[in-house]
Amino acid sequence: MDHQGTIIRPPNEAGSILLQVAVGCPHGACTFCGAYHGHPYRPKDMVTVADDVDHAARHCQDQRRVFLCGGDALALPAARLLEVLALVRARLPWVTRVGAYASARSLAARTDGELRALRQAGLATVYMGLESGDDAVLARVRKGADSAAIVAQGQRARAAGLRLNVTVLLGLAGEEGAQAHARATGAALTAMQPDHVGALTLMLVPGTALFADAARGAFALPGPMAMLAELRTLLEHTRLERGQFLTDHASNHLALRVRLPGGRAEALERIDAALAGRVPLRQRRGL
């Protein structure tokens, strides 16, 4: 398949057909992200996308999911997305779910009717990066939206029938702002009510602005125990009526798979045990 530049996908899309519909990220300004450096955003032409769908039709008949690759696939015009989804439905009839990255900006550009049409055409899941519920942190890392905007657009996605998976970043506020960041992030998740929360631990990527800040002493990444304390506060303040809260990404010091609301107490006890040294931390393996 024609994969250009960097291909990024969520952990739970590991077994999916990776159909690239755009190269790069239309925002591309987050200080912590180096995923798309050197790859300016541009949509893929439909001839190439159709060729890739045909390739998948021949070689990917055991895969039941499709992930639309690109830093923000929902930034494509609604008509283009509907065309891609129609191709998937026509040529890959065994596919049961299509997912894509989305941002507050790209969702805000879609009308409620367009979001419902995308859902009806086969788009099932959108992945949003909240990163933090603390507006000062979001501004500092140049996220491009405040927490209220991200929450509102996540709510719109869910109202359209889309499954909402949200990512947050432990450590993004540095040492001094960690607890405020955790509390605000829990509050934002509670307001958004995603189906799935993935908490990742910030890793400083060479070449990013945040890496440079750390190198000159302007940003201090919390240590493992401080990260765990931040995780505890985050989970304590995240009140989902129903959903999963996961920290099983390779970047994290402690792997948890929590079904909320029922699993919160047990998960908090496990974090407390790790903070007390009774549960070993794992070696992080990177992104």
Side-chain angles (χ1 to χ4, degrees), residues 82-156:
L82 289 169
E83 188 177 0
V84 171
L85 292 167
L87 272 176
V88 170
R89 177 171 288 180
R91 303 185 190 181
L92 310 175
W94 57 87
V95 165
T96 59
R97 194 184 82 179
V98 179
Y101 284 128
S103 67
R105 181 178 298 177
S106 65
L107 287 167
R110 307 274 75 81
T111 67
D112 291 344
E114 286 173 337
L115 291 177
R116 288 193 297 269
L118 291 170
R119 178 66 188 96
Q120 291 166 3
L123 182 66
T125 305
V126 292
Y127 297 83
M128 293 185 74
L130 168 62
E131 325 306 358
S132 176
D134 187 325
D135 286 341
V137 175
L138 292 173
R140 190 160 58 245
V141 301
R142 301 203 295 267
K143 178 66 179 174
D146 61 19
S147 61
I150 299 171
V151 167
Q153 295 308 317
Q155 291 171 336
R156 288 185 65 232

Side-chain angles (χ1 to χ4, degrees), residues 230-281:
E230 184 178 320
L231 171 62
R232 192 191 195 288
T233 300
L234 170 60
L235 180 57
E236 188 176 18
H237 286 79
T238 299
R239 300 285 171 168
L240 302 188
E241 295 174 6
R242 181 180 180 182
Q244 280 192 309
F245 185 103
L246 275 62
T247 68
D248 56 353
H249 187 266
S251 64
N252 292 321
H253 297 285
L254 182 68
L256 298 171
R257 297 182 65 88
V258 187
R259 176 71 66 179
L260 295 177
R264 175 184 287 102
E266 182 179 351
L268 291 174
E269 289 176 4
R270 183 166 176 80
I271 296 172
D272 287 339
L275 286 167
R278 298 193 302 274
V279 173
L281 304 186

Side-chain angles (χ1 to χ4, degrees), residues 36-60:
Y36 300 105
H37 285 183
H39 303 293
Y41 176 77
R42 60 179 175 82
K44 297 278 289 288
D45 66 89
M46 277 304 298
V47 172
T48 301
V49 173
D51 286 344
D52 283 349
V53 172
D54 286 341
H55 176 91
R58 294 191 300 271
H59 301 289
C60 304

Side-chain angles (χ1 to χ4, degrees), residues 210-223:
L210 194 56
F211 183 91
D213 286 345
R216 63 184 177 85
F219 177 83
L221 188 67

